[in-house]
């Protein structure tokens, strides 16, 4: 497959995708460094990427778009309109697949700023993508072909896992679940570490045990044939320590707390989409 991919913006997420593509042995035959381009107004950023990965550095967004069949938008949401508006005519000529990893910007806003309908995939990744352990939600508009959708899925698989949603509105739920989710788990782990330290464990021991417990629990869920409810039951002995902790969680309405937090994040994601659509 002769695919050339360009990144408008060279920040952490662009670097993660580039690294995932080039480090994933299953994909190196599909996309090589010579097929990757990047442009960022910060020349130090592009110099670092070129040195680290051997990819091509474009002199401008215009040059990058002219060379690439896939353009990945990886800039800050607040500047995307200013970046795209001058490029409308060039996008009209080349009509690449656009993959946006820009949070909060709907595909309709991208089309409005580019003054045309184009194949657009929105990807909502999360920060563990930086180490190849990301969980991403993907949405494709009706102009994305099966081949383009398959290619996008392969790209996302290089930084973790990806799951397609049927409605762009579902991206708000993805944002609240996996986009913001790492912080929820980190907060819970921090709480365990603090409790363990208060109980007399040294901080490093408490952290090592808490982190490995979280990793082990997640992997057990991933690889077990049993439901999560069954796995919880398997850990819980009648009148034992786990039962007492779970009863405490139940009395404090932990599931309601999690649901309220999820709803708050989802609502804010919806609000941001409206606010960013109006960025001048």
């Amino acid at each position: 497959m002769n695919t050339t991919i360009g990144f408008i913006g060279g920040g952490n997420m662009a670097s993660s995708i580039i690294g995932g593509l080039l480090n994933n042995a299953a994909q190196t035959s599909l996309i090589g460094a010579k097929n990757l381009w990047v442009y960022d107004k910060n020349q130090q950023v592009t110099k670092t990427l070129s040195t680290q990965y051997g990819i091509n550095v474009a002199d401008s967004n215009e040059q990058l778009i002219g060379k690439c069949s896939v353009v990945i938008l990886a800039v800050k949401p607040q500047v995307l309109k200013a970046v795209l508006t001058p490029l409308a005519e060039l996008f009209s000529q080349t009509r690449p697949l656009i993959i946006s990893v820009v949070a909060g910007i709907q595909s309709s806003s991208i089309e409005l700023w580019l003054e045309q309908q184009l194949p657009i995939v929105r990807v909502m990744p999360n920060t563990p993508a930086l180490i190849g352990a990301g969980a991403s939600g993907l949405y494709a508009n009706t102009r994305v072909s099966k081949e383009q959708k398959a290619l996008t899925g392969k790209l996302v698989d290089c930084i973790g896992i990806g799951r397609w949603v049927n409605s762009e509105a579902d991206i708000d739920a993805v944002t609240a679940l996996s986009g913001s989710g790492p912080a929820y788990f980190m907060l819970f782990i921090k709480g365990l570490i603090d409790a363990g330290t208060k109980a007399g464990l040294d901080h490093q021991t408490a952290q090592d045990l808490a982190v490995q417990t979280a990793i082990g629990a997640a992997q057990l869920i991933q690889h077990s044939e049993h439901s999560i409810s069954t796995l919880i039951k398997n850990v819980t002995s009648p009148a034992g320590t786990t039962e007492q902790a779970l009863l405490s969680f139940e009395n404090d309405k932990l599931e309601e707390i999690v649901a309220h937090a999820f709803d708050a994040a989802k609502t804010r994601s919806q609000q941001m989409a409206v606010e960013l659509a109006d960025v001048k």
Side-chain angles (χ1 to χ4, degrees):
M1 180 183 293
N2 185 19
T3 301
T4 306
I5 300 174
F7 293 79
I8 294 181
N12 286 338
M13 194 52 63
S15 179
S16 298
I17 297 172
I18 292 167
L21 279 171
L22 299 181
N23 294 331
N24 188 319
Q27 301 301 328
T28 51
S29 61
L30 177 65
I31 303 292
K34 66 179 182 180
N35 298 112
L36 298 178
W37 288 79
V38 63
Y39 174 77
D40 192 294
K41 64 179 182 180
N42 186 334
Q43 294 183 0
Q44 185 57 49
V45 169
T46 54
K47 181 180 179 180
T48 298
L49 289 173
S50 178
T51 300
Q52 183 174 1
Y53 297 115
I55 64 174
N56 305 291
V57 175
D59 295 328
S60 64
N61 285 327
E62 287 80 1
Q63 182 189 32
L64 181 144
I65 294 167
K67 291 181 174 294
C68 297
S69 56
V70 178
V71 174
I72 298 179
L73 306 178
V75 299
K76 294 181 179 180
Q78 294 81 2
V79 304
L80 184 59
K81 181 179 181 180
V83 169
L84 291 182
T85 301
L87 303 173
E89 183 175 350
L90 187 55
F91 270 102
S92 178
Q93 296 171 3
T94 59
R95 301 190 64 79
L97 167 65
I98 297 175
I99 300 174
S100 174
V101 297
V102 183
I105 303 292
Q106 296 182 338
S107 58
S108 59
S109 293
I110 294 173
E111 290 185 320
L112 177 65
W113 298 334
L114 291 176
E115 301 178 351
Q116 59 202 292
Q117 295 181 328
L118 292 166
I120 299 173
V121 176
R122 282 189 64 192
V123 179
M124 182 65 231
N126 60 11
T127 53
L130 298 172
I131 59 169
S136 303
L138 302 91
Y139 166 76
N141 70 11
T142 57
R143 286 167 284 285
V144 176
S145 69
K146 291 182 179 179
E147 292 77 14
Q148 290 171 329
K149 189 173 180 180
L151 173 61
T152 306
K154 290 179 180 179
L155 298 180
V156 170
D157 285 345
C158 289
I159 55 171
I161 67 166
R163 295 293 181 266
W164 292 93
V165 297
N166 295 321
S167 167
E168 187 164 10
D170 289 338
I171 290 292
D172 295 316
V174 170
T175 300
L177 198 161
S178 57
S180 299
Y184 313 158
F185 290 101
M186 290 172 186
L187 180 62
F188 190 89
I189 292 169
K190 181 180 182 298
L192 283 177
I193 295 169
D194 290 344
T197 302
K198 186 176 180 180
L201 296 174
D202 69 82
H203 185 272
Q204 191 60 54
T205 296
Q207 178 167 309
D208 290 345
L209 293 175
V211 170
Q212 184 57 41
T213 298
I215 293 171
Q219 291 182 341
L220 189 58
I221 291 171
Q222 187 177 46
H223 297 292
S224 177
E225 298 178 354
H226 301 297
S227 68
I228 295 178
S229 295
T230 298
L231 292 174
I232 292 173
K233 184 178 180 180
N234 290 344
V235 182
T236 310
S237 301
T241 58
T242 306
E243 182 183 71
Q244 290 304 303
L246 295 180
L247 287 172
S248 178
F249 283 142
E250 184 178 342
N251 289 335
D252 290 336
K253 302 185 185 302
L254 176 62
E255 290 190 6
E256 289 186 22
I257 292 172
V258 172
H260 290 160
F262 180 96
D263 289 342
K266 182 181 176 183
T267 298
R268 182 56 187 147
S269 179
Q270 294 167 333
Q271 292 170 343
M272 287 176 62
V274 174
E275 294 169 1
L276 292 168
D278 293 332
V279 171
K280 303 301 181 184

